[in-house]
Amino acid sequence: MFHPGVGYKGDLEYPFWHYWGSPLSVISGAGNYSTKTLLDKYAINFSQSMFQREPDMVVVDSSLWDLAVWQQEDGDDERAELPQERVQQWCQHDLPGLMATVSRTFPDSRVAFRTAPECLTCSINACCEVSWYIQGAQLYGFSTSKDKPYSQET
């Protein structure tokens, strides 16, 4: 299910990157709902309509949506390094909050975290340096083994 990331405050609510609510998100069926609303009110029915049951695995990625809203709201130079405070907020609050909400929404499904794709060309310096996603996954207790998907280790 397409969603707009963790949001600027990491609470799964607005503001999101300004392209959320554009024709792309409307065509995908997500409209312009917040990530929290999508998970709380629509994800189960979406899953039921596609699979007729809860999925075995949910793969989560907030990817470049998070970077985009931070740059948009902070107004920083898009070529600047990502502030360490922002990375820590994402690692210690935003990602755990997103993963916990997905886990509550799909309690019987395995929940996996996927790192952001690398950019071939990019004007935002930080989006090409995605190691902070891996750092966040490790801090939250997720496996970063190349042999298996990013999943919370128990």
Side-chain angles (χ1 to χ4, degrees):
M1 175 178 234
F2 193 66
H3 69 89
V6 300
Y8 181 68
K9 298 174 189 167
D11 58 1
L12 312 180
E13 296 286 358
Y14 280 89
F16 297 108
W17 189 42
H18 65 273
Y19 282 109
W20 183 244
S22 70
L24 174 63
S25 64
V26 173
I27 289 169
S28 74
N32 59 0
Y33 298 109
S34 71
T35 299
K36 181 168 179 20
T37 299
L38 288 169
L39 288 168
D40 289 348
K41 295 185 178 180
Y42 298 102
I44 294 294
N45 288 340
F46 181 82
S47 170
Q48 289 292 329
S49 70
M50 290 191 70
F51 308 118
Q52 288 71 53
R53 62 185 179 86
E54 189 170 315
D56 294 326
M57 177 180 278
V58 178
V59 179
V60 179
D61 173 23
S62 57
S63 191
L64 304 178
W65 286 91
D66 299 338
L67 293 168
V69 73
W70 298 342
Q71 192 276 326
Q72 167 190 292
E73 295 297 315
D74 292 340
D76 293 334
D77 177 5
E78 62 185 28
R79 296 186 185 274
E81 295 293 322
L82 191 62
Q84 185 60 35
E85 304 82 45
R86 181 56 81 180
V87 174
Q88 285 183 339
Q89 174 187 322
W90 188 88
C91 293
Q92 297 171 358
H93 174 268
D94 302 357
L95 175 63
L98 175 59
M99 298 302 285
T101 303
V102 172
S103 294
R104 278 192 308 272
T105 302
F106 297 103
D108 297 324
S109 300
R110 188 166 177 215
V111 177
F113 171 72
R114 184 184 81 92
T115 59
E118 289 190 33
C119 304
L120 295 177
T121 60
C122 187
S123 63
I124 301 174
N125 192 19
C127 83
C128 296
E129 299 172 2
V130 296
S131 64
W132 63 276
Y133 269 93
I134 295 172
Q135 177 188 12
Q138 289 171 335
L139 287 174
Y140 191 50
F142 287 83
S143 168
T144 54
S145 166
K146 294 186 185 287
D147 299 329
K148 59 182 178 179
Y150 293 82
S151 59
Q152 191 165 20
E153 295 178 345
T154 55

